[in-house]
Amino acid sequence: MITRREFAGGAAFAAAQSPADRVRVGVIGCGIRGVGAHINTLLKMKEADNVEVTAVCDVYDKRAQQASKLTGGRPYQNYREMLANKDVDVVVIATPDHLHAQMAIDAASAGKHIYCEKPMTHSVEEAKRVVAKIKETGVKMQVGVQGMSDDSYEAANKFVKDGTLGKVVIAQIDYSRNYDGDYWLKPVDPDLKPGVNFNWDLFLGPAKKRPFDAERYFNWIRYFDYSGGVPAGLFVHRVTRLIKALDLKIPEYGSAHGGKFEFTKSTAEVPDTINIMLDYPGGPTVMLISSLANDTPVAHTLRGHRATLEFTPTGFTITPQRLYAKEMKPIVHKKTGGEDTQLHWENLLRAIRLNEPLKCDVMLGYHGVVACQFGILSQQQRKYMKWDAAAERIVPA
């Protein structure tokens, strides 16, 4: 198993840059997240944080050209050509999930620092290869679980470690939405023309070869070839918080339950409802709850023998169990930071310039991928899964 100590100790960290040096960014993937979150954020940070978008890339030329006009960055269709650009120091990977791993490996090999959207990779095997490459090259890689820039989870971990909560036996968290008609469905742009302004083969990458299908490009998150559905798209944001708060690594066992319960006529392959239970060695059980057909929230809690910690919009509260109410008083933590892409970028820039620790490094990204893959594989196979420690993979129990 890859450990954080092995990763940190073995990495030949890239030389830190001076804060006076401008950091030049290339963005791969100029869709909703690439432009709406990253490019727009970087444009706001340009002067104060001395950062500039110098290159943009998308397999759909229309998106690349629009991003180029917005930023002044040089447009590309093939990300490998962009990686050869010496005017790029950091690469954003804001593409469908199945492309993350190879892009991250290629970027690290090219000496580029990386901001990779979540999930870090599409599979556990890919995640292991990315960790090995980052360890080998020493580049900085921030995984885009921007909620880690909220200090609540680091702060909660202190109360877990000092025994305030007692033994934590259950942790639960949710991420639910409610859609009307169909879920995660976007319109197909009629301007897209394969072989003219769009490269279907570059989009497919390592995925199964198929004839051109615009629906799969614009709605990739609905298909298992490119996405893990709710676990990869939503749960990764939540389970990473629990992993950080509880200092978890790899589950021993896991199972998932759900299906297409509401949107039964949808062409989406991924289920609209999925719930995952993960047993970590010696506890706790982590419960991940979600539906895309009901958005009633569930309390986000760490349930310990002595006290319960509940995360709130302003931080968290710790409430003693009745058995220990006379021994301890309730605790309230007011958070700093937040679930914010700009804060996550600022952390990456300080990591590059000052060697500051990353809020969501590749090891945290790896453990998040493993947790989500337990649920994805269990639901797909309708089997109870376990971790094969020798092979470092998830197998049927």
Side-chain angles (χ1 to χ4, degrees):
M1 181 183 298
I2 302 166
T3 67
R4 187 175 295 273
R5 178 176 295 177
E6 289 169 343
F7 168 71
F13 286 109
Q17 291 182 247
S18 165
D21 292 338
R22 173 152 292 200
V23 173
R24 301 162 299 178
V25 180
V27 178
I28 308 173
C30 300
I32 293 174
R33 188 70 190 161
V35 175
H38 292 287
I39 286 177
N40 287 344
T41 294
L42 291 165
L43 289 175
K44 289 191 297 183
M45 296 171 62
K46 183 174 182 178
E47 298 305 323
D49 293 281
N50 201 13
V51 61
E52 180 181 9
V53 177
T54 54
V56 293
C57 179
D58 201 285
V59 295
Y60 183 17
D61 285 340
K62 178 179 175 179
R63 289 181 171 180
Q65 292 296 333
Q66 288 173 338
S68 177
K69 290 178 181 178
L70 187 62
T71 63
R74 180 177 175 180
Y76 294 87
Q77 187 180 69
N78 190 323
Y79 80 92
R80 290 182 174 88
E81 295 177 4
M82 193 191 82
L83 292 180
N85 187 339
K86 295 181 180 179
D87 291 328
V88 173
D89 305 308
V90 184
V91 169
V92 176
I93 301 173
T95 65
D97 304 349
H98 72 295
L99 299 171
H100 288 185
Q102 193 60 54
M103 288 179 173
I105 290 168
D106 291 343
S109 296
K112 314 295 187 185
H113 302 292
I114 304 162
Y115 187 125
C116 182
E117 270 300 323
K118 56 74 200 165
M120 186 174 79
T121 62
H122 194 40
S123 71
V124 173
E125 286 302 316
E126 289 176 344
K128 290 191 293 186
R129 293 200 298 271
V130 170
V131 169
K133 179 56 67 171
I134 299 303
K135 177 180 177 180
E136 172 194 331
T137 60
V139 303
K140 305 294 185 181
M141 180 167 169
Q142 180 87 293
V143 180
V145 182
Q146 62 270 15
M148 291 299 95
S149 284
D150 177 338
D151 86 324
S152 298
Y153 310 100
E154 293 177 17
N157 182 249
K158 296 176 183 177
F159 290 103
V160 172
K161 284 184 175 179
D162 70 13
T164 298
L165 304 185
K167 174 65 177 179
V168 177
V169 293
I170 299 172
Q172 69 177 44
I173 201 163
D174 84 316
Y175 198 150
S176 292
R177 296 177 176 177
N178 200 348
Y179 287 88
D180 181 23
D182 203 345
Y183 56 107
W184 279 338
L185 182 63
K186 301 181 182 70
V188 170
D189 184 349
D191 290 343
L192 184 142
K193 306 294 182 186
V196 178
N197 61 6
F198 173 75
N199 192 314
W200 174 245
D201 288 335
L202 286 177
F203 164 73
L204 288 179
K208 180 181 177 179
K209 302 307 177 187
R210 298 176 181 273
F212 169 72
D213 184 347
E215 167 74 15
R216 283 180 169 264
Y217 171 66
F218 287 103
N219 293 297
W220 60 269
I221 198 170
R222 290 156 54 94
Y223 298 93
F224 280 121
D225 279 354
Y226 326 113
S227 163
V230 165
L234 301 181
F235 277 160
V236 69
H237 281 294
R238 300 300 195 239
V239 75
T240 305
R241 301 174 186 211
L242 300 183
I243 290 169
K244 185 69 173 182
L246 294 166
D247 197 23
L248 301 175
K249 299 296 186 292
I250 305 291
E252 275 189 306
Y253 297 96
S255 64
H257 308 267
K260 280 203 289 188
F261 293 160
E262 168 62 24
F263 303 101
T264 56
K265 296 181 180 179
S266 173
T267 59
E269 295 175 352
V270 301
D272 61 43
T273 300
I274 185 167
N275 303 287
I276 300 173
M277 297 183 72
L278 305 170
D279 285 339
Y280 284 83
T285 293
V286 169
M287 302 172 63
L288 305 172
I289 301 163
S290 181
S291 178
L292 300 180
N294 182 288
D295 60 10
T296 302
V298 171
H300 297 181
T301 59
L302 309 181
R303 297 165 63 183
H305 178 63
R306 294 176 57 85
T308 298
L309 184 151
E310 181 173 352
F311 294 104
T312 69
T314 58
F316 60 75
T317 60
I318 297 177
T319 305
Q321 290 280 288
R322 284 177 293 175
L323 287 173
Y324 298 97
K326 293 182 179 179
E327 298 178 22
M328 59 184 297
K329 296 180 179 179
I331 298 169
V332 177
H333 172 76
K334 298 293 185 182
K335 73 179 183 182
T336 61
E339 186 173 0
D340 185 275
T341 301
Q342 182 168 334
L343 291 177
H344 223 43
W345 261 108
E346 290 171 352
N347 171 237
L348 174 58
L349 294 175
R350 289 193 299 271
I352 293 169
R353 291 165 169 157
L354 305 172
N355 208 25
E356 179 177 303
L358 289 161
K359 293 294 185 181
C360 194
D361 65 13
V362 289
M363 291 309 301
L364 195 51
Y366 172 62
H367 294 140
V369 167
V370 172
C372 293
Q373 284 294 314
F374 258 95
I376 294 166
L377 295 174
S378 174
Q379 196 279 329
Q380 286 177 333
Q381 299 178 31
R382 292 297 187 186
K383 291 181 178 179
Y384 186 45
M385 312 301 286
K386 69 177 182 179
W387 181 250
D388 181 339
E392 293 188 69
R393 62 176 182 158
I394 302 165
V395 298

